[in-house]
Amino acid sequence: MTYELPPLPYAYDALEPYYDEPTVRLHHDKHHAGYVAGLNKAEEQLAAARAAGDYALIKHWERELAFHGSGHILHTLFWENMTPQGGGQPSGELATQIAQDFGSFDAFKAQFTAAANAVEGSGWCLLGWAPAFGKLIILQIEKHQDLSVWGVMPLLIVDVWEHAYYLKYQNRRADWLSNWWNIVNWADVARRFAGARK
Ligand SMILES: [Fe+2]
């Protein structure tokens, strides 16, 4: 599949004077577009590696996938999170959840602003829903390329920390992995997949 740069949901100058047209144009048309191109390139190279059975550059292309994939997802979210009719405060269930998890909207806003200000180097600040905790959390994203693609719902995981296999397999991680495929619960994976697609 080929990814495409989504058009802005408003005109380039729609966020003036808060967000200036030249910056929006450059940010969307060059920076965001670069992530989309990089994501397509990574997907293309991974497909070629699968076809050839040659995984010599797997670390490089997985990293490229994470960097450009996350860049594409986070920029799309960023654009959709803004509107010329923005500002004010949330209402309804979101307002209730924010008050429950942060004490008040003002306390949430203060924590989010402080966290965003304190991000080291290039990065992001994110409000997210953590299903495992059943609460909203604020996360600093310092390097979105660190081998994750934001927003992905986990379906299947294998632990490759040494503690997961060393007692039996010592340094033979490949043996652990080839045996692990025999104990995968595909029914559980399928159930999670169905839930994620809802
Ligand atoms: Fe950006």
Side-chain angles (χ1 to χ4, degrees):
M1 115 173 238
T2 302
Y3 300 94
E4 285 176 10
L5 177 67
L8 281 181
Y10 32 73
Y12 287 100
D13 64 352
L15 304 176
E16 294 269 12
Y18 306 106
Y19 205 9
D20 61 294
E21 177 180 354
T23 306
V24 169
R25 197 175 282 281
L26 190 71
H27 197 173
H28 177 268
D29 291 5
K30 300 298 178 190
H31 291 272
H32 188 170
Y35 283 112
V36 174
L39 174 59
N40 283 324
K41 173 87 173 166
E43 291 279 27
E44 199 182 286
Q45 292 299 314
L46 286 165
R50 286 193 297 274
D54 178 0
Y55 295 102
L57 294 176
I58 191 66
K59 285 179 75 173
H60 173 72
W61 291 115
E62 290 289 358
R63 193 173 289 275
E64 288 289 287
L65 178 74
F67 178 62
H68 295 291
S70 288
H72 175 38
I73 287 171
L74 294 177
H75 278 95
T76 302
L77 179 63
F78 173 71
W79 300 124
E80 291 177 3
N81 277 168
M82 294 183 288
T83 171
Q85 293 84 40
Q89 292 192 18
S91 58
E93 284 183 21
L94 177 59
T96 306
Q97 194 71 44
I98 285 175
Q100 185 179 311
D101 294 339
F102 298 97
S104 68
F105 177 77
D106 287 343
F108 153 74
K109 192 172 169 183
Q111 182 182 334
F112 190 94
T113 305
N117 269 315
V119 171
E120 288 181 5
S122 48
W124 308 78
C125 190
L126 178 90
L127 171 68
W129 173 252
F133 302 157
K135 64 180 288 195
L136 294 165
I137 54 171
I138 291 168
L139 294 173
Q140 292 177 312
I141 305 171
E142 290 187 346
K143 292 193 180 92
H144 76 224
Q145 68 268 38
D146 275 1
L147 307 180
S148 69
V149 173
W150 288 83
V152 166
M153 315 249 320
L155 301 178
L156 169 67
I157 197 165
V158 62
D159 192 340
V160 291
W161 283 60
E162 287 184 345
H163 68 229
Y165 62 86
Y166 210 81
L167 217 52
K168 177 176 171 62
Y169 296 96
Q170 289 84 48
N171 62 331
R172 301 185 307 279
R173 184 190 289 180
D175 289 353
W176 154 235
L177 285 173
S178 67
N179 280 321
W180 173 79
W181 284 111
N182 296 315
I183 50 175
V184 169
N185 182 346
W186 287 111
D188 179 66
V189 178
R191 184 181 59 77
R192 293 173 187 279
F193 178 60
R197 293 284 296 262
K198 268 187 195 137

